[in-house]
Amino acid sequence: MPLIEVDVERCKGCMLCAHFCPKKIIDASEHLNTKGYYPARQKDQEKCVGCATCGRMCPDVAITVYK
């Protein structure tokens, strides 16, 4: 089962990953990171297809996709 891992300390919460996710399974966390941003998180792992679009779109290289 595909899985994304977000490095919450690198993520600025720009949400480009969520915008481009074809399954719309990424949203903002409810908790701030140490820099004061709401990092991205995967909200529905079962629907992830492992396309890695989120990881390619991330300007901070904060997302790792496991297939």
Side-chain angles (χ1 to χ4, degrees):
M1 176 175 293
L3 169 73
I4 71 166
E5 182 179 278
V6 178
D7 182 342
V8 296
E9 293 307 318
R10 290 184 92 170
C11 181
K12 301 188 294 210
C14 69
M15 293 293 120
L16 282 174
C17 55
H19 179 75
F20 287 101
C21 177
K23 297 294 182 176
K24 303 300 179 202
I25 59 168
I26 302 173
D27 66 357
S29 174
E30 297 172 357
H31 305 285
L32 294 171
N33 63 15
T34 59
K35 296 177 184 172
Y37 299 116
Y38 290 98
R41 68 179 178 109
Q42 183 179 21
K43 63 182 176 182
D44 197 355
Q45 180 180 349
E46 294 80 31
K47 292 182 181 179
C48 183
V49 294
C51 66
T53 301
C54 56
R56 287 192 303 274
M57 297 310 298
C58 182
D60 300 307
V61 193
I63 299 175
T64 304
V65 179
Y66 299 99
K67 292 186 182 186

